[in-house]
């Protein structure tokens, strides 16, 4: 009802009723103004960050944190991120301890938003490390626990489930040791159980549930009632009564009383139920819960959970002996996994059909594109089908020969180049080439860089650690006894390459050795080759390989085989 229509109604009222109506209208208009003011930064539409900072920069951290939490409760995470970012930027050693704590909380919550809601671990990690730094400096143990939990989510999302289990176990132990109880115990328990079930760690589930059976749950714990049912189900599950456990956990579904993150933890609940029904052998129930996981995940962008749902569907199909369904679920899970592994480099691809097409486009060679174009021409020119087909075959043969020649030349050029070239430049041993001028230290700096580069080269050429997926510039610096920044600067200054480019060249050189060995090529899949040289994602390995050699791994292996046959 509009204000104008209210005025028309009020004309016919007695004066006393008119005054009451007038007061009512003023209250409504005032509440609308307040609502409109809040809506400006609540996430409805694009945020004007310049205006936001201008209007909020002088506000107290406690007020900003309150508005941030309100935005989280309303699932308006862009607005929440704006508030948290402003609080974190206000940190100073001169702040009172309570405001330093708010800054640390803002950092860890920013990390969670980047990780859980934007699927971007690369952006989340610096925020989490800043939160951990503040937590350790000022003894904010609960905040450090939250950081460990979020790092566990990163490992969980990137399929390092055993590592995630250990981190979630640490979180649960730290929370359980709090004599006053914890508001986040229920969430921590679900995180731990979901990952432990995926890793089939019944031993550690039993250990933790037996240990935590008497943990005090605070009265305002949102998942208080659900946790009781979950523990009961876990006792049955670890005792081998899978069907009874699944029935208990399924009956507990209505007990989810979370305001924030409800759909995220409800998705994990369905994963737990699906795993229990797998153990019970009731595959219709498994499919129901997995469909719920996929439906919620598709709406909310929980691609890591969607992948887990497809993994359980694949396990279910395998037990039923439905090989066709198993391959479909496996392919869909791999599509999602590839997009997750490349989240740091590309924006998250939410349309799985598009994701599949993009992956195919990256890996297809020119022959398939030309063949597709030729097929369209043949269909369009049905009248002259015989003549066009003959011409097409000739063109395809010529094109194929040219491509083979081109690939052969690229392969030959790379092999000749790599056999004579050092990936890092030779370093100078003599100090005579670094005459130091008065007042300058360029010669000394060059000697230091050369010495660092000599150590780096020794590691890169002779140590297998570089093929570890976790190998980084920090790891390299620790091996040679230098600081990461100094090592990185030395590599850049002398070789003109950054660390990642240099590491990629050494790894690809090792991959070339494997692909040039016919016996190894027969015994290993391309995923196996990628993993053996330090890459978890075949897609990313193929991209780096082509950047370095000019060929895809499959093309290189084919050329290596032909070269061996010719010799």
């Amino acid at each position: 009802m509009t204000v104008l229509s209210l005025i028309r109604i009020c004309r016919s009222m007695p004066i006393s009723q008119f005054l009451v109506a007038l007061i009512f209208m003023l209250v409504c208009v005032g509440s609308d103004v307040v609502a409109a003011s809040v809506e400006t930064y609540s996430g409805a539409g694009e945020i004007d960050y310049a205006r936001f900072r201008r209007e909020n920069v002088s506000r107290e951290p406690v007020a900003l944190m309150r508005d941030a939490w309100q935005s989280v409760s309303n699932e308006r995470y862009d607005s929440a991120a704006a508030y948290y970012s402003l609080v974190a930027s206000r940190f100073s050693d001169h702040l009172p301890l309570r405001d330093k704590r708010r800054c640390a909380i803002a950092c860890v919550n920013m990390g969670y938003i980047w990780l859980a809601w934007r699927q971007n671990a690369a952006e989340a990690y610096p925020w989490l490390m800043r939160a951990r730094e503040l937590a350790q400096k000022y003894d904010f143990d609960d905040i450090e626990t939250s950081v460990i939990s979020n790092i566990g989510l990163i490992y969980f999302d990137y399929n390092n489930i055993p590592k995630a289990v250990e981190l979630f176990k640490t979180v649960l132990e730290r929370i359980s040791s709090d004599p006053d109880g914890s508001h986040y115990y229920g969430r921590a328990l679900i995180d731990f159980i979901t990952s432990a079930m995926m890793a089939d760690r019944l031993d550690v589930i039993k250990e933790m549930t037996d240990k935590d059976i008497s943990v005090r749950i605070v009265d305002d714990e949102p998942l208080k009632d659900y946790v009781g049912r979950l523990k009961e189900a876990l006792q049955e599950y670890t005792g081998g009564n899978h069907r009874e456990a699944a029935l208990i956990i399924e009956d507990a579904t209505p007990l989810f009383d979370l305001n924030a993150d409800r759909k995220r933890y409800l998705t994990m609940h369905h994963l737990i139920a699906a795993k229990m029904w797998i153990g019970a052998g009731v595959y219709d129930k498994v499919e129901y819960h997995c469909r719920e996981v996929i439906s919620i995940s598709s709406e909310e962008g929980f691609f890591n959970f969607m992948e887990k749902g497809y993994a359980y569907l694949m396990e279910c199909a395998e037990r039923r002996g439905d090989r066709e369904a198993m391959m479909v679920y496996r392919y869909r899970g791999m599509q999602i996994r590839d997009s997750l592994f490349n989240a740091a480099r590309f924006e998250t691809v939410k349309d799985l059909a598009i994701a599949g097409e993009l992956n195919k486009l990256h890996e297809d060679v020119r022959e398939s594109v030309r063949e597709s174009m030729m097929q369209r021409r043949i269909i369009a020119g049905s009248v002259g089908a015989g003549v066009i087909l003959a011409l097409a075959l000739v063109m395809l043969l010529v094109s194929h020969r040219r491509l083979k020649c081109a690939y052969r030349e690229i392969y030959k050029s790379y092999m000749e180049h790599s056999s004579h070239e050092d990936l890092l430049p030779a370093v100078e041993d003599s100090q005579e080439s670094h005459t130091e001028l008065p007042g300058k230290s360029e010669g000394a700096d060059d000697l230091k860089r050369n010495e660092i580069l000599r150590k780096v080269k020794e590691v890169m050429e002779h140590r297998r650690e570089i093929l570890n997926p976790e190998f980084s510039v920090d790891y390299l610096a620790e091996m040679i006894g230098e600081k990461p920044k100094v090592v990185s600067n030395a590599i850049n200054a002398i070789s003109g390459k950054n660390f990642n480019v240099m590491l990629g060249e050494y790894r690809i050189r090792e991959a070339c050795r494997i692909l040039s060995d016919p016996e190894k090529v027969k015994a290993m899949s391309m995923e196996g080759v990628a993993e053996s040289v330090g890459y978890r994602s075949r897609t990313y390995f193929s991209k780096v390989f082509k950047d370095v050699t000019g060929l895809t791994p499959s093309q290189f292996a084919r050329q290596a085989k032909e070269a061996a046959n010719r010799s």
Side-chain angles (χ1 to χ4, degrees):
M1 184 180 294
T2 65
V3 174
L4 186 60
S5 61
L6 281 173
I7 291 174
R8 291 196 187 100
I9 294 171
C10 289
R11 284 179 178 175
S12 60
M13 293 181 178
I15 187 67
S16 59
Q17 295 181 11
F18 175 78
L19 290 174
V20 171
L22 182 61
I23 293 171
F24 176 75
M25 282 191 294
L26 290 173
V27 170
C28 290
V29 172
S31 63
D32 287 342
V33 171
V34 172
S37 175
V38 173
E39 195 70 8
T40 303
Y41 305 116
S42 63
E46 188 172 343
I47 299 173
D48 184 345
Y49 289 101
R51 177 186 168 198
F52 174 85
R53 177 171 286 276
R54 187 169 61 251
E55 294 182 358
N56 290 279
V57 70
S58 60
R59 295 179 65 198
E60 292 296 319
V62 62
L64 295 171
M65 292 293 285
R66 182 179 60 247
D67 289 346
W69 178 245
Q70 184 64 40
S71 296
V72 169
S73 299
N74 294 330
E75 297 187 355
R76 289 158 176 167
Y77 297 100
D78 285 342
S79 299
Y83 285 115
Y84 285 136
S85 178
L86 190 56
V87 174
S89 69
R90 300 273 290 277
F91 175 79
S92 166
D93 288 328
H94 303 296
L95 284 177
L97 187 62
R98 61 180 178 276
D99 284 340
K100 291 176 181 175
R101 177 177 173 81
R102 290 184 181 110
C103 291
I105 293 172
C107 288
V108 76
N109 286 347
M110 278 292 288
Y112 183 75
I113 288 173
W114 275 110
L115 179 62
W117 300 103
R118 296 184 179 175
Q119 301 285 321
N120 194 327
E123 291 289 347
Y125 192 75
W127 286 104
L128 295 175
M129 291 303 98
R130 177 59 174 158
R132 169 174 266 183
E133 177 187 345
L134 294 176
Q136 292 177 344
K137 185 174 182 179
Y138 298 108
D139 296 326
F140 301 145
D141 292 338
D142 57 331
I143 295 177
E144 186 174 10
T145 299
S146 183
V147 171
I148 297 171
S149 176
N150 280 278
I151 295 175
L153 289 176
I154 292 177
Y155 281 104
F156 183 83
D157 289 353
Y158 281 77
N159 269 333
N160 191 339
I161 305 299
K163 183 67 174 179
V165 171
E166 294 305 316
L167 290 170
F168 288 143
K169 179 183 176 185
T170 300
V171 171
L172 200 58
E173 288 173 341
R174 291 174 70 126
I175 289 178
S176 301
S177 64
D178 186 350
D180 298 325
S182 171
H183 193 74
Y184 297 100
Y185 175 75
R187 293 175 175 86
L189 183 63
I190 296 174
D191 287 335
F192 168 72
I193 294 302
T194 305
S195 60
M197 280 191 160
M198 291 208 69
D200 291 323
R201 292 293 305 276
L202 287 182
D203 56 332
V204 75
I205 292 175
K206 181 171 177 57
E207 173 193 343
M208 292 305 297
T209 50
D210 290 346
K211 183 186 301 183
D212 290 353
I213 199 67
S214 61
V215 170
R216 178 177 176 270
I217 305 175
V218 295
D219 293 336
D220 61 343
E221 164 62 61
L223 293 170
K224 180 178 180 180
D225 295 332
Y226 177 81
V227 165
R229 293 285 188 89
L230 177 58
K231 286 187 173 182
E232 183 182 350
L234 290 173
Q235 286 184 312
E236 295 290 343
Y237 187 77
T238 55
N241 302 321
H242 296 164
R243 185 182 184 86
E244 185 64 27
L247 289 170
I248 293 171
I249 200 66
E250 192 160 277
D251 289 342
T253 304
L255 298 178
F256 264 81
D257 53 353
L258 290 170
N259 291 325
D261 292 348
R262 184 179 190 277
K263 290 186 177 180
R264 180 177 180 82
Y265 282 93
L266 182 59
T267 305
M268 285 193 271
H269 159 75
H270 284 297
L271 285 171
I272 293 171
K275 186 67 174 177
M276 289 182 173
W277 282 119
I278 287 175
V282 184
Y283 302 125
D284 290 342
K285 288 286 190 178
V286 177
E287 290 182 350
Y288 164 74
H289 286 284
C290 288
R291 299 296 179 192
E292 289 294 304
V293 169
I294 293 168
S295 175
I296 298 173
S297 299
S298 179
E299 291 176 5
E300 302 297 323
F302 302 152
F303 296 106
N304 51 331
F305 293 144
M306 191 184 297
E307 185 206 0
K308 307 305 182 286
Y310 280 123
Y312 283 161
L313 284 173
M314 185 176 74
E315 184 177 350
C316 183
E318 185 178 11
R319 293 192 179 202
R320 281 177 160 175
D322 188 344
R323 182 170 180 79
E324 183 178 353
M326 185 181 73
M327 295 304 295
V328 170
Y329 295 139
R330 181 176 181 271
Y331 177 68
R332 291 178 181 174
M334 288 178 65
Q335 282 183 309
I336 300 168
R337 185 178 179 186
D338 276 350
S339 68
L340 287 174
F341 274 124
N342 291 294
R345 184 172 294 272
F346 304 107
E347 291 182 0
T348 303
V349 183
K350 295 187 177 181
D351 188 329
L352 294 183
I354 294 176
E357 292 301 319
L358 287 175
N359 287 334
K360 287 169 66 178
L361 283 173
H362 288 173
E363 296 179 0
D364 284 349
V365 295
R366 293 184 211 174
E367 296 97 325
S368 62
V369 177
R370 294 186 181 184
E371 183 182 355
S372 175
M373 292 174 63
M374 199 59 61
Q375 288 174 355
R376 292 177 185 176
R377 290 173 185 171
I378 292 171
I379 294 172
S382 56
V383 175
V387 177
I388 293 175
L389 181 60
L391 292 174
L393 290 173
V394 171
M395 291 175 63
L396 190 60
L397 180 60
V398 171
S399 175
H400 182 65
R401 287 180 177 176
R402 286 178 180 174
L403 283 174
K404 286 183 68 175
C405 291
Y407 290 154
R408 189 180 302 120
E409 288 301 317
I410 293 173
Y411 171 79
K412 182 179 178 182
S413 175
Y414 174 76
M415 295 302 291
E416 291 177 353
H417 187 65
S418 63
S419 63
H420 295 95
E421 184 208 19
D422 284 336
L423 297 182
L424 288 174
V427 295
E428 301 175 4
D429 294 325
S430 175
Q431 296 186 11
E432 294 177 0
S433 61
H434 300 287
T435 304
E436 186 174 341
L437 298 177
K440 297 186 178 180
S441 60
E442 286 84 349
D445 289 344
D446 287 345
L447 284 174
K448 176 65 174 176
R449 291 190 186 112
N450 279 332
E451 180 60 25
I452 291 173
L453 200 64
R454 183 183 295 106
K455 294 178 181 178
V456 169
K457 190 172 182 180
E458 179 69 20
V459 170
M460 289 294 170
E461 292 181 351
H462 301 292
R463 299 291 290 272
R464 301 291 295 178
E465 286 90 338
I466 68 169
L467 305 182
N468 186 328
E470 307 297 331
F471 190 78
S472 64
V473 70
D474 294 337
Y475 195 169
L476 174 61
E478 184 179 347
M479 291 177 71
I480 66 175
E482 297 288 348
K483 294 181 178 179
K485 187 174 182 180
V486 174
V487 174
S488 181
N489 288 341
I491 294 171
N492 288 340
I494 297 179
S495 70
K497 308 171 185 174
N498 64 39
F499 170 78
N500 287 329
V501 171
M502 177 198 69
L503 178 61
E505 290 177 349
Y506 275 102
R507 284 177 169 178
I508 296 307
R509 178 172 285 185
E510 177 62 24
C512 289
R513 293 193 186 99
I514 296 173
L515 294 173
S516 298
D517 187 333
E519 296 302 321
K520 290 185 178 180
V521 171
K522 287 181 182 178
M524 298 176 69
S525 66
M526 203 56 71
E527 287 85 354
V529 175
E531 291 178 2
S532 70
V533 296
Y535 294 100
R536 292 194 179 99
S537 167
R538 173 182 171 176
T539 304
Y540 184 60
F541 166 67
S542 296
K543 181 187 180 303
V544 176
F545 194 99
K546 189 164 186 179
D547 288 344
V548 174
T549 67
L551 299 171
T552 66
S554 299
Q555 291 167 351
F556 186 93
R558 195 179 302 122
Q559 292 301 319
K561 182 179 179 181
E562 291 179 4
N565 291 336
R566 286 194 299 270
S567 61

